[in-house]
Amino acid sequence: MTLKPVLSICCSVAFLAACGYPARRHPECPGALETSTKATTVQTMSGPVAGYIDDGVFIYKGIPYARADRFQPARDPEPWTEVRSSRAYGPTCPQESRTLWYSDVQAFSMHWDDGYPDEDCLRVNIWTGGIHDGGKRPVMVWLHGGGFRAGSGQELISYDGTNLARDHGVVVVTLNHRLNVLGFLDLSAYGARYAHSGNLGMMDIVKALEWVRDNIANFGGDPSNVTVFGQSGGGGKVSTLLAMPSAKGLFSKAIVESGSITELMIPKYSRRVGAATVANLGLTPSRIGDMEGIPYEMLLKAYNQAVRTVCEEAREDGVFPQNVLNGILFGQVPVVDGEIIPAQPGTPEALALSRDIPTIVGTTYHEFTRDREDPIFKPLALQQASDRVSNGCAPVYFYQFVWESPVLDGVLGSTHCMEIPFVFDNVLLHRTFTGGGEDAVELGHRVSRLWTSFAKTGRPAAEGMPEWEAWPSRLIINLETRLEK
């Protein structure tokens, strides 16, 4: 790096500090790294773990929060006595290849890190400003995107929690859970052993939240002040958690980013997907146990084919979901089984479960349609916000993120995922996506303060931003953010 760019970076940091924002180190000029086991060991309910300290932030990766056999509910991890090194991301849930790997524009801008797959994938990652200090820091648990089929707690560099932990005083948790055929194949028609197989991915998330409740205090977090937040499929998971009795009491605030979901699968069709998958594998009900040992690639192929078949059957039945997003996700989402998920997320019965949970709900402007405003996510976000308020729920704060990236001559616009680097205050870190300019960095400071102030108090507020009034007002987030009433 030449002297001139270094001076430019340093001047930018000095400018931001002068404007009232804490000075941040440039990603290429990090602070000291401490890897001492003694300095970083934390006791969990299952055993001790050691991480590392990066520029004052304690970081732990790949900690097992549960273990599970295929198609079975998760249970507590196998305990250990020796200090477990937790410095690298653990396995991710097996999944199919991303089609966008083969798009140079997408691969460059998104900067994916898909890790390595293994069915033993139930892991959490933690960023915190202190351990064993009684810090009572608010906890923010991030649920990754990828629909209910793909993704991980590490897939985007934007998910790194360092800046939120160091500069905003929160504990950040990301996690992996079971996806696709491993997490949502409904085999409940084949006996009690598989009664919950259609919702295992969501049950994993509840298990992770229970782990947070039981362990996060030792990592400097407050188990009574937990916010769940997620984008795209992660927002769908947040929407689903709001309708799950088993999740009640495990979090007190929720943020849904471009992932509002009002409809899930119903047993009539989820069981058809299960039956078609079994048939595609050449199995009979008496041999259903063989499913537990079939190679994953064969299982996924049979499942994908079954989803396509049953989706066409639903169209012919005339009961296909009315909104576009639920049509896209048909056969690949949790199921309203009357027990784990008693009712559709958009119904009064489900909304009553989370009546006391304040929420932030919103979308980006373009999502997947660069040439016009998003027609997929925004209508569902508006519906979710309206339904919650009309059913007497806690305040809903609605936003639309309209800032457009200059990367690659502006081709990305305000695309799907664009708000994530701003929410995590990682505009510089993910500059292949944002460009990393001074104005964008400053906007990232402000957006991340809105999100973290909401996690702390239930009210999103930040210096330099308009007062964010609850629904039906809407915050239009850009370099010049404004409130629409």
Side-chain angles (χ1 to χ4, degrees):
M1 181 179 286
T2 63
L3 179 61
K4 184 175 180 180
V6 170
L7 289 175
S8 175
I9 291 167
C10 293
C11 288
S12 298
V13 172
F15 169 79
L16 292 169
C19 290
Y21 295 105
R24 283 138 170 103
R25 297 184 186 274
H26 189 270
E28 295 177 0
C29 307
L33 189 72
E34 173 61 65
T35 58
S36 165
T37 294
K38 182 178 180 180
T40 62
T41 295
V42 173
Q43 184 68 38
T44 73
M45 298 290 285
S46 299
V49 297
Y52 61 100
I53 309 171
D54 187 357
D55 202 15
V57 176
F58 291 76
I59 302 173
Y60 302 82
K61 295 177 177 178
I63 302 175
Y65 66 84
R67 55 185 167 134
D69 298 323
R70 187 183 281 186
F71 304 131
Q72 300 304 308
R75 59 195 189 279
D76 291 341
E78 192 73 38
W80 59 90
T81 56
E82 299 296 321
V83 177
R84 182 187 180 105
S85 180
S86 300
R87 300 177 174 99
Y89 289 117
T92 61
C93 181
Q95 53 201 267
E96 56 196 334
S97 300
R98 295 180 189 271
T99 57
L100 293 178
W101 278 342
Y102 305 97
S103 164
D104 186 76
V105 168
Q106 293 289 337
F108 169 78
S109 60
M110 300 305 289
H111 203 281
W112 285 298
D113 173 11
D114 289 301
Y116 62 96
D118 194 292
E119 291 192 37
D120 179 19
C121 63
L122 305 183
R123 302 289 194 272
V124 291
N125 314 300
I126 301 168
W127 291 259
T128 179
I131 59 175
H132 306 307
D133 61 358
K136 294 287 187 181
R137 297 169 181 84
V139 181
M140 299 185 73
V141 178
W142 174 254
L143 303 181
H144 66 77
F148 294 80
R149 295 182 62 89
S152 71
Q154 69 185 69
E155 65 173 344
L156 293 182
I157 196 171
S158 300
Y159 297 175
D160 187 281
T162 301
N163 287 337
L164 290 185
R166 184 185 59 231
D167 301 324
H168 298 270
V170 299
V171 176
V172 178
V173 179
T174 71
L175 60 96
N176 298 339
H177 60 88
R178 283 174 287 182
L179 301 162
N180 52 71
V181 67
L182 300 176
F184 300 101
L185 177 65
D186 186 356
L187 298 174
S188 59
Y190 296 95
R193 177 172 173 78
Y194 305 104
H196 303 308
S197 66
N199 285 318
L200 291 176
M202 290 307 306
M203 293 170 69
D204 290 347
I205 295 172
V206 171
K207 190 71 173 175
L209 290 171
E210 291 173 344
W211 187 96
V212 168
R213 177 197 62 199
D214 296 338
N215 293 279
I216 208 65
N218 286 348
F219 294 89
D222 182 356
S224 68
N225 189 6
V226 175
T227 298
V228 289
F229 68 133
Q231 184 269 348
S232 192
K237 295 161 198 171
V238 173
S239 298
T240 305
L241 284 172
L242 291 167
M244 295 179 66
S246 59
K248 190 172 180 62
L250 296 175
F251 61 94
S252 56
K253 292 168 284 293
I255 303 175
V256 180
E257 305 173 26
S258 300
S260 298
I261 281 185
T262 58
E263 296 177 57
L264 300 173
M265 289 293 287
I266 59 174
K268 176 180 179 180
Y269 292 103
S270 64
R271 286 185 169 189
R272 282 193 194 179
V273 172
T277 302
V278 171
N280 291 340
L281 291 167
L283 299 178
T284 61
S286 63
R287 293 180 55 204
I288 194 67
D290 291 356
M291 296 274 289
E292 299 177 29
I294 288 175
Y296 170 75
E297 292 75 14
M298 291 178 58
L299 195 65
L300 181 65
K301 181 179 179 181
Y303 169 70
N304 288 342
Q305 182 181 342
V307 167
R308 291 191 294 269
T309 299
V310 177
C311 184
E312 186 56 38
E313 291 174 357
R315 290 181 189 277
E316 294 173 357
D317 290 347
V319 295
F320 201 70
Q322 296 299 308
N323 63 69
V324 177
L325 179 60
N326 290 118
I328 294 172
L329 296 177
F330 182 88
Q332 307 168 56
V333 296
V335 56
V336 178
D337 62 355
E339 182 180 350
I340 302 300
I341 305 175
Q344 294 286 7
T347 62
E349 178 184 351
L351 292 168
L353 282 172
S354 61
R355 182 171 287 126
D356 59 343
I357 304 292
T359 57
I360 291 176
V361 177
T363 68
T364 64
Y365 187 71
H366 292 126
E367 299 290 357
F368 297 111
T369 54
R370 175 64 179 87
D371 58 338
R372 58 196 174 97
E373 185 178 358
D374 168 52
I376 299 176
F377 293 97
K378 186 178 179 182
L380 286 170
L382 292 169
Q383 179 182 341
Q384 185 178 41
S386 177
D387 287 348
R388 291 191 64 79
V389 171
S390 63
N391 280 271
C393 294
V396 178
Y397 299 91
F398 192 91
Y399 74 90
Q400 190 164 36
F401 188 89
V402 304
W403 180 89
E404 298 186 23
S405 173
V407 170
L408 298 169
D409 302 314
V411 69
L412 301 174
S414 182
T415 191
H416 196 59
C417 302
M418 186 54 71
E419 85 285 3
I420 298 175
F422 295 82
V423 166
F424 278 83
D425 212 356
N426 282 333
V427 171
L428 274 178
L429 186 64
H430 200 171
R431 56 196 180 279
T432 58
F433 198 40
T434 68
E438 284 187 1
D439 288 343
V441 170
E442 181 176 349
L443 181 60
H445 298 336
R446 293 177 177 177
V447 170
S448 55
R449 286 188 174 186
L450 287 174
W451 261 238
T452 54
S453 71
F454 178 75
K456 293 171 183 177
T457 69
R459 290 288 305 274
E463 182 180 352
M465 287 294 205
E467 180 179 354
W468 193 348
E469 299 177 8
W471 177 269
S473 297
R474 309 175 190 183
L475 195 70
I476 310 301
I477 300 176
N478 205 338
L479 297 181
E480 298 294 331
T481 297
R482 69 184 191 278
L483 188 72
E484 285 188 352
K485 298 186 178 182

